[in-house]
Amino acid sequence: MLRVIACIGVFLCHLGSQMGVEGAAEKIMDFGARGVYLFFILSGFFGFCSKELENEDRKRGCLCYFIKRAFKILPLYYALILYNLVLYEFILKSVPIDSSGIGWPRYFLLISTWIPADKNFWVNLCSTWTVGIFVLFYLFVPLLKRYVVSLKGAVVLWGGLYLLSYFCLGKVDYGMPVFYLHYFILGIMFYFANKEGKERELVIGCIAFALGSIAINRTLTHNACSMLFLILIIMAKEIRIENERLQRIVNVMDSYSYTIYLTHAAVMDGIEMIKNRYPLSMNAVLIIGIGCTVAGCFAARHLVEIPMEKIGKKYLLRIRKESED
């Protein structure tokens, strides 16, 4: 449910921006952008819940873990990058110069946010800035799983990464993904708090941090918001959906959450291009935004994600059979 909420929040933020909403609606829809941090926290938790990493054969377990994550995250990402490459290089023929001289390899090598650029085109094309951060975290998970073995250890790790982010983010141009890792560690803290029966202590710590951050900054910062998200996750862990129809809807939305997360950005960029040539009313943007996102997600899910997930499952089955033999 929370993954679905985070996905909808990010979508509404970008949709509201294109619609040009104002006032309270603008504030509410803009807040949806913080759904990204809810995604980070949930990914941290689910990363540690991975059954592959509990395999007695550590190397084989890590291999299965990486294969599963790679076939889930990368196919749609690369499909989106190829779509943009064709669109900007061959159709629009309007690719800006990359000041670093790297160009498209930035995206294919997942280093778009590692190295600074003077054009947002080379850092956050189709809102893909978070993909490199997700990949970095997933690469670290097996190592973290081995050495972070308690809530105390997770808190210490979070504190170190948070301080690194506090002193470097916005001041150091290189290595941006590293400065966002502390959000994922919050999910790991929840994992151990749940395992050790220390949710109450974690909630108290989150409240104290959030109140302190709000008092110092006089606004709801991303870090304070992430603490509130963690409290929400802890409160929601016992919730069960009793209505079968609603459960099916949530399950379908959840299976499409990553698809929507990436696909809708291409739709929003398309709307921006249309608006630069022809005036569009708010209703037109709403209809195009929702309609094209639904159609694009359906196509992306069935043409890219599902086929690649099947290939990934075949690799996993082969590895498991080899281990049994």
Side-chain angles (χ1 to χ4, degrees):
M1 283 193 300
L2 293 178
R3 249 195 318 228
V4 171
I5 291 171
C7 169
I8 293 173
V10 174
F11 171 76
L12 288 177
C13 171
H14 292 149
L15 180 63
S17 176
Q18 292 299 331
M19 291 175 64
V21 295
E22 298 177 349
E26 180 183 13
K27 292 180 180 179
I28 292 172
M29 296 178 87
D30 281 352
F31 184 81
R34 303 191 182 194
V36 168
Y37 302 102
L38 181 53
F39 263 121
F40 288 165
I41 299 170
L42 290 170
S43 296
F45 173 72
F46 288 123
F48 256 55
C49 288
S50 176
K51 293 180 180 179
E52 292 87 1
L53 296 178
E54 296 174 3
N55 195 317
E56 291 182 3
D57 187 336
R58 187 167 293 161
K59 290 183 179 179
R60 197 176 299 275
C62 288
L63 179 61
C64 291
Y65 171 82
F66 286 136
I67 289 174
K68 187 175 180 180
R69 289 297 183 277
F71 277 92
K72 174 65 178 175
I73 295 174
L74 297 180
L76 183 57
Y77 167 75
Y78 281 121
L80 184 63
I81 296 305
L82 285 172
Y83 157 79
N84 278 282
L85 188 151
V86 172
L87 176 65
Y88 286 99
E89 286 282 2
F90 302 106
I91 299 176
L92 299 178
K93 296 181 179 179
S94 61
V95 179
I97 296 174
D98 181 3
S99 57
S100 68
I102 300 174
W104 289 105
R106 278 178 168 273
Y107 290 106
F108 289 105
L109 298 176
L110 295 163
I111 58 173
S112 61
T113 53
W114 281 94
I115 301 171
D118 60 349
K119 300 289 185 182
N120 191 54
F121 182 96
W122 294 116
V123 178
N124 191 28
L125 184 62
C126 275
S127 301
T128 54
W129 70 277
T130 58
V131 177
I133 300 173
F134 279 112
V135 170
L136 176 65
F137 170 72
Y138 287 132
L139 287 173
F140 272 131
V141 166
L143 190 65
L144 295 175
K145 184 84 173 178
R146 183 173 183 179
Y147 293 104
V148 181
V149 295
S150 67
L151 177 59
K152 182 179 179 180
V155 171
V156 170
L157 178 61
W158 170 82
L161 289 172
Y162 171 74
L163 290 175
L164 179 67
S165 171
Y166 182 82
F167 288 110
C168 295
L169 188 61
K171 303 168 187 175
V172 178
D173 292 331
Y174 291 85
M176 188 179 79
V178 176
F179 308 140
Y180 285 85
L181 288 179
H182 64 96
Y183 292 106
F184 293 89
I185 308 305
L186 291 176
I188 298 175
M189 286 163 57
F190 168 57
Y191 172 85
F192 283 112
N194 183 48
K195 190 175 181 179
E196 298 172 14
K198 296 180 179 178
E199 291 100 331
R200 184 169 177 269
E201 289 86 343
L202 184 57
V203 168
I204 292 172
C206 289
I207 293 173
F209 180 93
L211 291 177
S213 177
I214 293 171
I216 294 171
N217 298 283
R218 298 184 180 181
T219 186
L220 182 62
T221 64
H222 291 168
N223 291 307
C225 191
S226 67
M227 292 297 175
L228 298 180
F229 282 150
L230 183 53
I231 294 171
L232 177 63
I233 292 170
I234 295 171
M235 293 173 61
K237 77 184 183 75
E238 299 297 336
I239 294 177
R240 298 291 180 271
I241 300 175
E242 302 295 338
N243 186 286
E244 291 185 6
R245 181 177 296 179
L246 180 59
Q247 180 67 64
R248 285 196 296 270
I249 293 172
V250 171
N251 289 341
V252 171
M253 287 290 292
D254 183 43
S255 67
Y256 275 86
S257 59
Y258 182 67
T259 320
I260 297 171
Y261 184 73
L262 281 189
T263 304
H264 87 277
V267 174
M268 298 304 159
D269 282 1
I271 291 174
E272 182 67 26
M273 293 178 192
I274 296 173
K275 286 168 61 180
N276 290 335
R277 292 172 176 263
Y278 309 101
L280 290 177
S281 66
M282 291 180 64
N283 289 336
V285 172
L286 179 65
I287 294 170
I288 294 171
I290 295 177
C292 290
T293 296
V294 171
C297 286
F298 185 82
R301 181 72 181 150
H302 290 272
L303 295 178
V304 179
E305 289 189 304
I306 292 177
M308 294 306 295
E309 285 174 6
K310 288 180 179 178
I311 294 174
K313 287 178 181 178
K314 287 181 180 179
Y315 277 111
L316 290 173
L317 286 173
R318 186 183 303 173
I319 292 171
R320 286 164 184 164
K321 285 182 180 180
E322 290 176 357
S323 64
E324 290 174 359
D325 295 339

